[in-house]
C-alpha cells in the first residue's frame, strides 16, 4: 500500500533516512495495534513524518510562508524543528493527505505539544524506537513504549532533553511545555 508515496520518498531521502522512515511506519503500526489506534493512520503518518527533513531550510520556510501559518522565530530558523511543520504542509500539498490527525502527528512529531493525541504520541515515540535506531537506552525505551504510551513519551522527552544538556545546546521552549503536560497527565491519572 502507498507504493507511489514510498517510491517518491525513496528519491527524496537519503538511504539512511529512507530506512528510518520505513522503520517509523512499521513501529507506528505496532504501537497503534498495541494501543487500539488506527494502524493505517499510523502507517501513513510514519511514512511521511520526515518527508521535508532533507529540503533546505529556505524551502521549508517558503512552504510555511505560503501556508499562512504563524510560527515562532525559534522554530522558524531551525530546520531540525521546522521540518515537522513543513512536512505536514508537504504531506497535504504533495501527497494529498487531508486527514487532520495524520497532518497534526507529522507537524508535532519532533516537539510534541500540550495535549498530544494518541496518534501524536505514537509517531513521536515510533521516531525514537524504530528498528534502525541505536543509542544507549533504546532497548529500555522500546519496552516502556509498549508498556505505557505516556510514560514512553516522557522517557523520549527526557532522552532528548538530556542529550541537549549534555551537548550544551538550547532547548526549544515548547519541548518543555510538552514534557510538563505529559508529567501532569501521568500524575493525574
Ligand atoms: Fe523528524
Ligand atoms: Fe524521524
Amino acid at each position: 500500500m502507498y507504493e507511489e508515496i514510498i517510491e517518491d520518498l525513496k528519491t527524496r531521502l537519503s538511504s539512511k533516512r529512507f530506512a528510518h522512515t520505513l522503520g517509523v511506519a512499521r513501529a507506528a503500526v505496532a504501537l497503534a495495534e498495541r494501543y487500539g489506534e488506527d494502524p493505517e493512520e499510523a502507517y501513513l503518518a510514519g511514512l511521511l513524518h520526515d518527508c521535508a527533513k532533507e529540503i533546505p531550510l529556505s524551502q521549508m520556510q517558503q512552504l510555511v510562508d505560503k501556508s499562512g501559518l504563524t510560527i515562532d522565530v525559534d522554530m522558524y530558523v531551525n530546520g531540525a524543528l521546522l521540518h515537522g511543520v513543513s512536512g505536514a504542509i508537504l504531506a497535504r500539498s504533495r501527497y494529498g493527505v487531508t486527514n487532520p490527525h495524520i497532518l497534526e502527528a507529522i507537524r508535532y512529531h519532533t516537539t510534541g505539544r500540550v495535549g498530544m493525541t494518541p496518534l501524536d504520541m505514537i509517531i513521536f515515540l515510533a521516531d525514537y524506537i524504530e528498528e534502525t535506531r541505536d543509542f544507549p537506552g533504546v532497548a529500555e525505551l522500546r519496552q516502556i513504549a509498549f508498556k505505557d504510551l505516556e510514560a514512553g513519551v516522557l522517557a523520549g522527552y527526557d532522552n532528548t532533553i538530556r542529550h541537549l544538556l549534555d551537548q550544551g545546546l538550547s532547548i526549544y521552549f515548547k519541548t518543555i511545555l510538552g514534557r510538563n503536560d505529559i508529567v501532569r497527565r501521568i500524575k493525574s491519572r
Side-chain angles (χ1 to χ4, degrees):
M1 212 160 150
Y2 302 121
E3 279 86 4
E4 277 179 27
I5 291 178
I6 293 171
E7 283 308 308
D8 189 72
L9 289 170
K10 204 175 189 174
T11 66
R12 293 168 64 85
L13 299 174
S14 67
S15 59
K16 189 165 185 261
R17 176 107 36 218
F18 181 68
H20 162 70
T21 286
L22 295 181
V24 172
R26 276 196 284 266
V29 168
L31 287 168
E33 284 170 348
R34 163 68 181 84
Y35 293 107
E37 298 299 320
D38 185 338
E40 231 188 274
E41 285 187 353
Y43 184 73
L44 190 52
L47 268 189
L48 290 173
H49 84 286
D50 272 346
C51 68
K53 180 91 181 190
E54 293 183 359
I55 65 176
L57 177 62
S58 58
Q59 273 183 39
M60 293 184 199
Q61 291 171 335
Q62 267 176 26
L63 284 167
V64 169
D65 293 347
K66 270 196 281 178
S67 77
L69 286 173
T70 312
I71 303 292
D72 60 81
V73 66
D74 293 0
M75 175 172 278
Y76 191 77
V77 299
N78 185 342
L81 298 172
L82 196 61
H83 79 274
V85 181
S86 40
I89 296 166
L90 213 54
R92 182 192 281 273
S93 62
R94 185 175 177 92
Y95 301 102
V97 177
T98 54
N99 180 329
H101 300 132
I102 296 175
L103 296 175
E104 287 173 9
I106 296 169
R107 174 168 179 172
Y108 295 107
H109 81 267
T110 312
T111 59
R113 58 167 159 168
V114 173
M116 285 173 91
T117 66
L119 187 62
D120 290 352
M121 292 194 273
I122 284 169
I123 300 304
F124 180 93
L125 257 183
D127 199 16
Y128 284 104
I129 64 161
E130 59 88 5
E131 63 220 35
T132 74
R133 289 285 200 200
D134 184 17
F135 55 85
V138 71
E140 291 82 349
L141 193 55
R142 286 190 182 111
Q143 274 188 348
I144 302 170
F146 282 94
K147 218 172 124 194
D148 182 326
L149 189 56
E150 288 176 340
V153 170
L154 177 58
Y157 269 125
D158 287 356
N159 192 285
T160 295
I161 291 168
R162 237 179 248 121
H163 174 77
L164 292 170
L165 293 176
D166 289 346
Q167 302 287 313
L169 296 168
S170 64
I171 301 167
Y172 178 57
F173 68 105
K174 287 186 181 167
T175 297
I176 304 290
L177 299 180
R179 181 184 181 275
N180 285 348
D181 186 53
I182 285 291
V183 170
R184 186 185 54 73
R185 283 159 74 164
I186 290 173
K187 283 201 169 141
S188 66
R189 65 192 186 187

